[in-house]
Amino acid sequence: MKGHVLVCWAMNGEDLSPAHGAPIRLIVPGWYGMASVKWLTSIEVTADASWWGYQMDAYSFKRTAEDPNAVPLTQLAVRALMAPPGFPDFVSRTRIVPPGVQEIVGKAWAGAAGLDRVEFSSDNGETWERAELEEKNGPFGWAAWKAKWNALEGETAVLCCRAFDCQGRGQDRLGTEIFNYASFGCTQPQQVYCRVDARIDTPGADIDLTSEQKAAKTALLQESGLSVEHAQALYQAPGSQ
């Protein structure tokens, strides 16, 4: 075990609460959260990596539920996420944004590695621009970033972001060909489907989102008028809400 791994029984000067893993829990910075085991009762040290338990089986990269080649999650991958702008429609996941220059903000992380850059796209990953990136808030922490987007009235846009670390790692490309059974450790760029409409600032205004709602059903996709790419950004990508 390295010096940054903690066995914890208190937080902020008080005993751990049951919700935080009392009486004792692990904190393993730079790894996915399942490694920071709560309600710890014992630690067993083995001579090799042959042991396989519930946590490793549940939190792993798989093609199927019983994939014999499952690979357990370990250290955090590099990743960027944004706070979706505008106002959400709960049913269709559409974000309604007023026209004008919007400041898009988010966080990026890469575990123990340093962050090299964050890139932002307002055209579903067709083109990218470098975002303004701040320093990490600690050796294993995240860094804030921001970018400008000029939202034009009547525009439909899919916003994306991606990060790169100082070890040369980046995020997976957008696409559906890489199947991850439980979606753990997914690093495809976040997609946020936005419609730019000035009426969002008018109380009581009616904004018709029938097309976006129809696109949720494959049988109605053609009728909806949305492209396959826009429908995937709405309903197959996490993060639009």
Side-chain angles (χ1 to χ4, degrees):
M1 296 177 70
K2 296 183 179 180
H4 59 266
V5 179
L6 306 176
V7 178
C8 304
W9 57 87
M11 180 174 66
N12 297 331
E14 299 181 357
D15 291 343
L16 283 182
S17 66
H20 285 136
I24 296 175
R25 70 168 298 172
L26 288 178
I27 297 291
V28 186
W31 283 50
Y32 285 97
M34 79 290 154
S36 296
V37 177
K38 295 180 178 179
W39 313 295
L40 189 66
T41 58
S42 64
I43 297 176
E44 179 181 350
V45 179
T46 61
D48 54 39
S50 62
W51 182 84
W52 186 268
Y54 171 78
Q55 289 280 79
M56 299 172 75
D57 180 64
Y59 295 93
S60 60
F61 299 104
K62 297 180 178 181
R63 293 283 186 175
T64 65
E66 304 298 331
D67 189 344
N69 299 312
V71 178
L73 298 176
T74 55
Q75 298 183 52
L76 287 169
V78 60
R79 187 80 194 272
L81 289 176
M82 77 184 87
F87 302 87
D89 172 61
F90 181 79
V91 175
S92 73
R93 301 168 59 92
T94 302
R95 306 291 299 200
I96 309 299
V97 180
V101 177
Q102 307 291 327
E103 183 174 79
I104 309 300
V105 299
K107 298 289 193 293
W109 58 90
L115 285 162
D116 177 63
R117 68 188 187 279
V118 170
E119 295 179 346
F120 170 76
S121 171
S122 60
D123 55 11
N124 202 21
E126 290 293 323
T127 61
W128 297 88
E129 62 184 73
R130 195 163 186 145
E132 184 178 332
L133 180 64
E134 297 181 9
E135 295 294 323
K136 290 171 63 174
N137 64 356
F140 299 95
W142 58 57
W145 63 268
K146 59 184 178 182
K148 299 291 187 182
W149 168 45
N150 186 21
L152 303 177
E153 174 66 24
E155 177 185 14
T156 297
V158 177
L159 311 183
C160 302
C161 57
R162 64 186 183 185
F164 299 83
D165 69 19
C166 296
Q167 296 181 356
R169 298 184 304 168
Q171 296 185 215
D172 291 333
R173 64 186 182 278
L174 286 170
T176 59
E177 70 276 9
I178 304 175
F179 182 72
N180 184 345
Y181 176 77
S183 296
F184 292 121
C186 175
T187 69
Q188 288 194 28
Q190 180 188 14
Q191 294 172 284
V192 180
Y193 178 99
C194 299
R195 276 182 52 179
V196 183
D197 195 318
R199 290 173 294 175
I200 194 62
D201 287 332
T202 303
D206 182 28
I207 299 176
D208 185 8
L209 297 174
T210 303
S211 294
E212 283 78 9
Q213 293 170 7
K214 284 184 176 180
K217 295 185 177 181
T218 303
L220 297 178
L221 177 58
Q222 185 173 358
E223 182 181 331
S224 76
L226 266 68
S227 67
V228 173
E229 291 76 15
H230 279 177
Q232 288 176 344
L234 264 178
Y235 295 111
Q236 293 187 18
S240 64
Q241 288 285 21

